[in-house]
Amino acid sequence: MWRNIASNALTLFIVGLVVLAGVIAWGRSQYSSAGPLETAICLQVPAGGNMRGVSSDLAEQGAITSDTIFRVGADYSDKSSLLKAGSFLVPEQSSMAEIVDIITRGGASTCGTEVVFRIGVNATQVDVRELDPATNRFRDVAEFVPGPEGEEGDAVPEEYTTVRNQNDTRYRVLVAEGTTVWRVVESLKLADFIEGDLVEMPAEGMLAPDSYEVVAGSDVGALISRMEDAQAARLEESWRNRVDDLPFETKEDALIMASIIEKETGVAEERRQVASVFENRLKQGMRLQTDPTVIYGVTNGEGVLGRGLRQSELQRETPYNTYVINGMPPTPIANPGLAAIEAALDPAQTDYIFFVADGTGGHAFATTLAEHNANVALWRKIEAEKAAAETAE
């Protein structure tokens, strides 16, 4: 009898092991197989959250088939303690294993609300936008022009105040090509998510135009240092790849030339042609005769001139009046982008020594004064027709 009992017990034990193995295999399959999510979602993990709360949220949103399997899988892979706070994009049909990886791997949030602080040549704007998980595109929530308390600026929208109090909001500072150092520094004083004061003003031209992701409470000095390091690296790399026979001998002169190119044209395809004009002029001992340098001498890079240049300003001898001085001004006149730096160090091979606006946003180039005068006459005709049309309206 005892032998039968032992045999039956052993049989039941084996059956139990087989069943357990099957359950484990099924659980592993459920954990690693494609999930039921039909449309991507933005999963918010609060600070101090845990896997139980996250799994419950995922189950409610239809992203997983079992919150228990999700938690067991996270525990089994030793990732439960690695949960990160933030907003994370969970793509459609993500497996539980993939979701666990997304919310534990670390790094910046991948969806949710983003504040973009745009520093332009003439103005600064704050955009509040939110990622739509279904399309993976941002949609605008609010925008406003910041201003110091008591001075000109838009009223701060409620949407911005709300997201400023959320710890998973991301921040990005976007610096446009052609800004001056003064514009960047003064604009950053209006960014209420950045702290600290600058000890000294950066050198003109040495802040790389780019998009910089920052964390709320970041130090402004650290951000400026990132911009300086990025510009120095770009200049160094471009200088190493420069062509021969340039009309200047130092990286600093190349940066000055790049800043002039940046201010003279916003058409990407023209940068190397514009560079060729100025560098041909330098090689021939001609003056650069470019308005942006004169304007910088008048404004010192602080704000926008807001009017045309006066004859007295064009005739006055200043270090930046390239109608009067020979060679280049003593410093850059703006922060040039990488494309302008590369154009300065690898100009197009042309005989051009003149250019003027052509009415399309670009320029007409010429090798002789006669050709240039014809282009100027055409441009003045376009200006006159445009003025007449505006008057008629």
Side-chain angles (χ1 to χ4, degrees):
M1 184 179 73
W2 291 110
R3 185 174 298 175
N4 289 336
I5 292 174
S7 177
N8 291 337
L10 180 60
T11 301
L12 290 173
F13 178 71
I14 293 173
V15 171
L17 287 178
V18 171
V19 171
L20 179 60
V23 169
I24 292 174
W26 176 81
R28 285 179 174 175
S29 175
Q30 290 290 303
Y31 186 70
S32 59
S33 298
L37 195 61
E38 295 182 357
T39 304
I41 61 171
C42 187
L43 176 68
Q44 293 187 335
V45 180
N50 55 45
M51 281 296 179
R52 180 172 292 277
V54 170
S55 63
S56 177
D57 188 10
L58 287 167
E60 288 180 7
Q61 297 193 61
I64 59 177
T65 54
S66 170
D67 51 352
T68 300
I69 293 177
F70 182 88
R71 292 195 300 274
V72 170
D75 287 338
Y76 183 79
S77 57
D78 293 326
K79 291 185 175 181
S80 289
S81 62
L82 302 178
L83 181 64
K84 302 294 189 298
S87 297
F88 303 98
L89 181 65
V90 179
E92 60 186 44
Q93 295 188 320
S94 293
S95 69
M96 297 186 206
E98 289 170 337
I99 297 173
V100 168
D101 182 61
I102 289 170
I103 62 178
T104 60
R105 74 168 69 114
S109 295
T110 54
C111 66
T113 304
E114 182 178 68
V115 171
V116 183
F117 191 86
R118 301 181 185 275
I119 303 176
V121 173
N122 300 326
T124 302
Q125 179 174 301
V126 179
D127 293 343
V128 181
R129 57 186 199 166
E130 193 171 75
L131 185 72
D132 179 1
T135 62
N136 203 24
R137 294 178 180 274
F138 280 98
R139 64 178 183 86
D140 294 332
V141 175
E143 64 180 43
F144 67 99
V145 174
E149 187 173 349
E151 297 185 22
E152 185 177 356
D154 295 342
V156 177
E158 182 180 348
E159 292 88 346
Y160 178 71
T161 303
T162 299
V163 301
R164 278 287 288 118
N165 295 322
Q166 296 173 350
N167 58 17
D168 61 342
T169 298
R170 292 182 296 164
Y171 298 89
R172 188 178 301 279
V173 174
L174 188 64
V175 180
E177 291 92 346
T179 56
T180 63
V181 161
W182 178 88
R183 168 66 67 185
V184 174
V185 170
E186 289 300 305
S187 294
L188 288 177
K189 291 178 181 178
L190 307 179
D192 60 0
F193 53 89
I194 296 176
E195 300 176 355
D197 298 307
L198 282 179
V199 177
E200 59 181 298
M201 200 74 163
E204 186 64 86
M206 279 306 298
L207 302 182
D210 209 338
S211 177
Y212 299 87
E213 190 158 346
V214 299
V215 176
S218 294
D219 179 67
V220 66
L223 176 57
I224 290 293
S225 293
R226 286 170 60 191
M227 296 179 184
E228 290 177 314
D229 290 346
Q231 192 74 325
R234 291 175 179 181
L235 184 58
E236 182 65 34
E237 176 68 17
S238 299
W239 181 256
R240 282 199 299 268
N241 297 323
R242 69 189 184 279
V243 298
D244 296 330
D245 196 31
L246 293 171
F248 40 77
E249 298 180 351
T250 68
K251 291 181 288 186
E252 290 72 23
D253 285 342
L255 193 64
I256 294 172
M257 176 57 71
S259 72
I260 296 172
I261 296 167
E262 190 69 79
K263 297 300 289 186
E264 275 288 8
T265 183
V267 180
E269 296 78 12
E270 283 190 349
R271 289 192 180 101
R272 295 181 68 244
Q273 289 176 294
V274 170
S276 75
V277 171
F278 289 129
E279 296 181 22
N280 286 341
R281 280 178 164 265
L282 288 176
K283 289 177 180 178
Q284 295 179 35
M286 298 175 66
R287 290 171 177 163
L288 295 183
Q289 296 183 322
T290 171
D291 287 0
T293 62
V294 183
I295 293 171
Y296 188 88
V298 174
T299 65
N300 198 32
E302 299 180 1
V304 181
L305 184 60
R307 57 172 173 79
L309 284 166
R310 301 182 178 123
Q311 281 301 312
S312 60
E313 293 166 338
L314 290 169
Q315 296 168 4
R316 184 184 308 137
E317 184 170 350
T318 74
Y320 291 90
N321 188 346
T322 51
Y323 286 92
V324 176
I325 65 168
N326 296 318
M328 293 190 293
T331 72
I333 59 172
N335 296 304
L338 177 60
I341 295 174
E342 291 176 337
L345 291 166
D346 184 16
Q349 298 301 305
T350 76
D351 294 323
Y352 296 143
I353 53 175
F354 301 102
F355 67 91
V356 68
D358 64 1
T360 68
H363 295 84
F365 296 84
T367 58
T368 68
L369 182 58
E371 291 173 342
H372 179 59
N373 287 338
N375 290 335
V376 170
L378 180 59
W379 168 238
R380 287 176 177 167
K381 179 182 177 182
I382 292 172
E383 283 189 308
E385 291 173 349
K386 187 184 299 184
E390 290 176 352
T391 301
E393 291 177 358

